[in-house]
Amino acid sequence: MAARNKARKRAFQILFEAEQRGAAPKTVMADWIRLARTDDRQPPVTEYTMQLVEGYAAHAARIDELLAGHSVGWTLDRMPAVDRNVLRLGTYELIWEDDVPDAVVVDEAVQLAKEFSTDESPSFVNGLLGRLLELKPTLGR
């Protein structure tokens, strides 16, 4: 598994855990970093994972606004938690991480949805991120 692929997976897991615990993503990430220092079974938190989690945290309100405004027939609250967090991570990377090709961002998000969510989720994630990709030049950061 490529390094960035692992970093995205860890970032997704941190965002998901943060939502489930009702904690800030940076707090959960700090917990993961602390555990990785003392338990070799805990996966490491790489620089790119930290960049993704911190980037999401910095833009969380705007990301949720974009997702809520462009998902057809789904409110954020109605989305499965896995899909919501995959989309949050993908939206952050799509809009704010210029060094990653857009197609890679969408593909990686779809792969996370395939691995962790329902059979319908990959097409939902692909469709919503595709819509945001089309609108990217007009969205503004």
Side-chain angles (χ1 to χ4, degrees), residues 95-111:
I95 305 298
W96 283 275
E97 288 294 329
D98 295 328
D99 66 327
V100 181
D102 295 337
V104 170
V105 172
V106 174
D107 184 59
E108 290 284 326
V110 168
Q111 291 307 313

Side-chain angles (χ1 to χ4, degrees), residues 15-26:
L15 294 183
F16 181 81
E17 182 178 332
E19 182 177 1
Q20 296 304 302
R21 287 176 40 191
K26 288 182 180 182

Side-chain angles (χ1 to χ4, degrees), residues 20-33:
Q20 296 304 302
R21 287 176 40 191
K26 288 182 180 182
T27 300
V28 173
M29 183 171 64
D31 292 345
W32 276 50
I33 292 168

Side-chain angles (χ1 to χ4, degrees), residues 46-57:
T46 65
E47 290 295 320
Y48 196 62
T49 298
M50 288 186 263
Q51 183 176 331
L52 292 172
V53 171
E54 290 170 354
Y56 164 74

